[in-house]
Amino acid sequence: MTQVEIISARWIVTGVSEEGEPQIIDDGAIAYTDGEIVAVGTLSEIKATYPEAGVSSHPHHLIMPGLVNSHHHLGLTPLQLGAPDYPLELWFAARLAMRKIDPYLDTLFSAFEMIASGVTTVQHIQGWATGDFDQVVASASAVLRAYDDIGMRVSYCYAVREQNRFVYEADEDFCARLPADVAKVMAAHFAAQTLQLSDFLQLFDVLTRNNTSARSRIQLAPANLHWMTDEGLLALQEKSQAAEVPMHMHLLETPLQKEYAFRRTGTTAVKHLEKLGLLGPHMTLGHGVWMTEEDIEICAGTGTCICHNCSSNFRLRSGVLPLMELQKRGMTVGMGMDEAGINDDRDMLQEMRMALTVHRTPGLDISDVPSPAQVLRMASEHGGLTTAFGSEIGRLDVGRRMDAVIFDYDSATFPFQDTDIAPLDALIHRAKTKDVKTVMIEGQIVYKDGTFTQIDRDAILAQIAEALSAPRDGDERERHWLRENVFPVVEDFYDGYLQNTGARVPFYKASSRT
C-alpha cells in the first residue's frame, strides 16, 4: 500500500441520497491510497486519523464525484467529419461520406473534451469499424490504448450488428432497390463490415484477455433490435451471464424503431426483450424515448437501466425521454452525450443543465421536475451503475474508487452568488468548463488548471489537423459518391413507413409528432 493522501475542500459532495438530497460535508476531506477512498469526513477528523498524511487544500472549492458519460461513440463528431444533422434514419445515410480518422487520435479528441468537463468514466460503444477480425481487434485496441494513455476510466463494448445495417430491412433487399452500379458498391461496403456473431463473441474474449488496465473493463452491446436476430440476442445474453458483465443496447430512439418492433414481433420492443429474458439490472437501454407506459412499468419492475441522451435526441429530432416518469418509479437512469452535445462537443456540465431544464413541464407541482441533485446522481452514481464498474464509482464513499472533480466555486459564481442558493445547486446551474480546477481518476491527477498531465493535447490536435488536411482518398471519394446515390433511396424507403398509428403517439406528449 502506498502512502495515504488527503484532499480537502470547502464542500465535498459525496453523492445524492435515495430521497434526492445532496450529501455534503462542509470543510470536508477525503483520504485515499492506491486509488481507493479510505476515509471521508471533516478535515479535522481526517487529519486526526492520518496525522502523517500530506494535505492538498482547496479552500474555495467544491469536490464532487467524477461524472460518467454513459453513452458515447466517436471522437470527432459526424458534423466535423462531413455528415450534417438529419433525423436518425436519414443521418445514417449521410454518415456514409464521413472522413476517416485514426481511432487512437479520434478517441483522445473526445477524451480531452469529456475530462475537461469533469467526466472521469465513459461508456464507449464502438461500432462500424471496417475490415476483417484482426483489423477490428486493432481498432478496438487503439481505442482502449487511448483511454489508458490519457488516464481515463472506460467501460468498453463493441456494438454487435448482424443484419439490417443501413435501413430497417435486409442488406440484400436494400441493394435490390438500387441501380446495378450503385448496388455493387453498396454490397462491397456491407461486406467490409460484416463480422459473424461468433467473431463478435471472440472479440469480447480477446479484448477481455488482453486488458491489463485497472481503469478499463469490457462489456457487451447488442446494438439495437433491428440490428440483431433473436438468436444473436440470446447468445449475447448467455455470454453476459457467463462472464458476469453488463450489456448496453440502443432501443426505441425513434418512432420508426417503434414501428419496426411492432412489424417484427407484433408487440413492443420492450415486451419482446422481456419475453427473451434480456431485461434486468445488467441491461441498459440507450434512449428509450418511445417506450409506452407499460414498457416503463416493465423496465422498472425488472430493474432495467435507462440512459438518457438528451441533446442527441434533440439534434436528431428523436423526441424527449419521459424522465420524470422513470424517476417516480425509482429507476436507474444514467446520462450520455452520444455522438455530440448540443454545441457539437462533449460538455457534460452543459448536458446536465439541458436535462435539468428540458423536463420542466408546465404546472405548479415542484416535485414534477428534476432537481440539480437528481441530475448529478444521473451523471455520477446512476451512470456508474450502467457500466461494468457498477458501484465501484459514482460516489465519494469509503471503498469506492477515487474519481473526483474539483470545481473553483468562486470562479463559477463570480461576481456574486447569494447563500440562499445551496452550493451544489449554484454549481449545477452556473459552472462551466473553465471552473473545473482538477480532475482525478483512480487517485491520479489527469487534468489540472487547463492542462492534461498525461498527454500533450496540442500535439494530438496538430496530428489530427494534419491528417485531415489531406484530400479525400479513393475510399472516401467512393463513399461520398455512394451517399449522393443512396440518400434519395433511403428517403423513399421510409416514406409512409409509419403505418401503425400507435407508433406516432409517445407516452410523453412533448415528443408528439402529430
Side-chain angles (χ1 to χ4, degrees):
M1 177 181 289
T2 57
Q3 185 176 353
V4 172
E5 298 179 70
I6 297 173
I7 188 167
S8 68
R10 183 178 179 186
W11 299 286
I12 292 179
V13 180
T14 59
V16 178
S17 72
E18 292 288 342
E19 294 72 34
E21 296 298 323
Q23 297 165 310
I24 301 180
I25 302 172
D26 295 338
D27 296 318
I30 302 171
Y32 61 95
T33 183
D34 292 330
E36 181 179 330
I37 298 172
V38 295
V40 183
T42 64
L43 178 58
S44 59
E45 291 170 341
I46 301 303
K47 287 179 67 175
T49 304
Y50 299 98
E52 303 299 320
V55 179
S56 174
S57 179
H58 300 272
H60 53 87
H61 297 74
L62 181 147
I63 301 178
M64 68 170 62
L67 304 178
V68 180
N69 180 6
S70 302
H71 189 110
H72 171 73
H73 300 290
L74 296 176
L76 275 78
T77 68
L79 187 75
Q80 287 176 289
L81 296 176
D85 288 352
Y86 284 104
L88 180 73
E89 285 78 11
L90 301 182
W91 189 56
F92 282 125
R95 288 165 57 106
L96 262 177
M98 283 170 50
R99 297 294 303 275
K100 292 182 294 189
I101 179 69
D102 176 83
Y104 177 81
L105 298 177
D106 189 55
T107 301
L108 286 177
F109 179 83
S110 55
F112 291 138
E113 293 184 334
M114 287 188 280
I115 290 172
S117 67
V119 176
T120 56
T121 299
V122 60
Q123 173 71 71
H124 188 111
I125 310 165
Q126 188 179 8
W128 304 110
T130 57
D132 60 22
F133 179 79
D134 289 340
Q135 290 171 306
V136 173
V137 170
S139 178
S141 299
V143 170
L144 289 165
R145 180 165 55 88
Y147 286 121
D148 192 43
D149 286 352
I150 201 170
M152 192 171 184
R153 193 180 300 281
V154 57
S155 186
Y156 172 94
C157 49
Y158 192 92
V160 178
R161 295 176 172 90
E162 300 179 275
Q163 60 179 14
N164 305 341
R165 292 172 179 82
F166 206 66
V167 297
Y168 300 153
E169 72 172 356
D171 300 342
E172 58 271 21
D173 292 341
F174 178 74
C175 286
R177 298 175 181 271
L178 303 172
D181 58 334
V182 180
K184 182 178 179 180
V185 177
M186 193 72 206
H189 174 72
F190 286 140
Q193 53 179 295
T194 305
L195 295 182
Q196 300 300 312
L197 179 61
S198 58
D199 294 326
F200 289 116
L201 298 176
Q202 185 184 358
L203 176 65
F204 169 82
D205 291 336
V206 169
L207 296 179
T208 300
R209 184 170 60 249
N210 293 346
N211 180 39
T212 59
S213 172
R215 295 184 305 271
S216 300
R217 301 274 173 86
I218 312 300
Q219 60 173 87
L220 292 163
N224 203 323
L225 181 63
H226 61 272
W227 280 318
M228 297 292 301
T229 65
D230 286 356
E231 293 75 19
L233 288 170
L234 291 171
L236 288 183
Q237 170 73 352
E238 182 179 357
K239 190 73 167 179
S240 169
Q241 292 175 331
E244 297 183 337
V245 298
M247 296 197 291
H248 192 112
M249 181 178 183
H250 295 70
L251 201 75
L252 294 171
E253 187 172 352
T254 70
L256 294 173
Q257 292 181 6
K258 185 176 182 179
E259 170 74 18
Y260 169 84
F262 183 80
R263 292 189 185 189
R264 169 172 160 180
T265 71
T267 186
T268 71
V270 169
K271 286 184 179 179
H272 187 65
L273 294 184
E274 181 190 31
K275 180 181 178 181
L276 294 177
L278 265 71
L279 300 183
H282 71 296
M283 173 65 85
T284 296
L285 303 178
H287 298 283
V289 173
W290 290 81
M291 292 187 292
T292 66
E293 185 167 13
E294 187 177 6
D295 290 339
I296 294 172
E297 293 287 357
I298 291 170
C299 289
T302 56
T304 301
C305 306
I306 304 294
C307 180
H308 184 19
N309 302 311
C310 190
S311 58
S312 170
N313 292 337
F314 275 120
R315 286 191 70 163
L316 302 182
R317 297 169 58 186
S318 298
V320 182
L321 179 78
L323 175 63
M324 295 315 295
E325 294 300 324
L326 277 58
Q327 294 279 16
K328 290 174 184 176
R329 291 163 173 82
M331 295 177 64
T332 297
V333 183
M335 184 178 297
M337 289 181 280
D338 211 338
E339 302 279 6
I342 205 70
N343 278 346
D344 212 57
D345 59 12
R346 264 61 58 120
D347 184 343
M348 184 58 94
L349 301 175
Q350 180 174 259
E351 190 75 15
M352 292 166 70
R353 272 191 294 279
M354 177 171 287
L356 180 65
T357 55
V358 160
H359 301 283
R360 298 188 177 192
T361 51
L364 301 178
D365 184 356
I366 61 175
S367 67
D368 201 34
V369 296
S371 69
Q374 285 176 309
V375 168
L376 173 61
R377 195 180 191 205
M378 290 168 60
S380 55
E381 181 182 5
H382 276 192
L385 292 174
T386 71
T387 74
F389 294 96
S391 59
E392 296 176 41
I393 61 174
R395 290 181 57 90
L396 296 176
D397 292 336
V398 172
R400 298 206 184 214
R401 308 315 297 171
M402 182 54 187
D403 295 357
V405 186
I406 305 173
F407 288 91
D408 187 327
Y409 186 82
D410 287 357
S411 167
T413 58
F414 184 82
F416 177 73
Q417 177 59 61
D418 191 271
T419 55
D420 276 359
I421 304 301
L424 178 62
D425 290 10
L427 267 189
I428 297 299
H429 278 283
R430 300 187 60 186
K432 310 294 192 300
T433 54
K434 68 177 179 62
D435 307 312
V436 176
K437 172 75 173 178
T438 303
V439 177
M440 302 180 69
I441 302 174
E442 195 74 5
Q444 300 295 314
I445 294 175
V446 300
Y447 180 79
K448 185 174 183 179
D449 296 327
T451 299
F452 294 88
T453 64
Q454 311 296 314
I455 292 283
D456 185 336
R457 178 179 181 272
D458 291 341
I460 295 298
L461 296 188
Q463 290 183 59
I464 293 172
E466 181 180 3
L468 291 175
S469 66
R472 294 179 184 270
D473 64 17
D475 170 68
E476 290 173 323
R477 291 194 301 272
E478 182 178 72
R479 286 187 289 103
H480 197 279
W481 172 86
L482 191 60
R483 179 179 71 178
E484 300 306 312
N485 283 274
V486 303
F487 194 91
V489 182
V490 174
E491 288 183 296
D492 289 343
F493 175 82
Y494 288 114
D495 185 26
Y497 189 85
L498 288 176
Q499 297 176 3
N500 174 26
T501 56
R504 296 178 179 271
V505 182
F507 171 55
Y508 192 47
K509 302 306 180 190
S511 297
S512 178
R513 297 178 63 174
T514 58

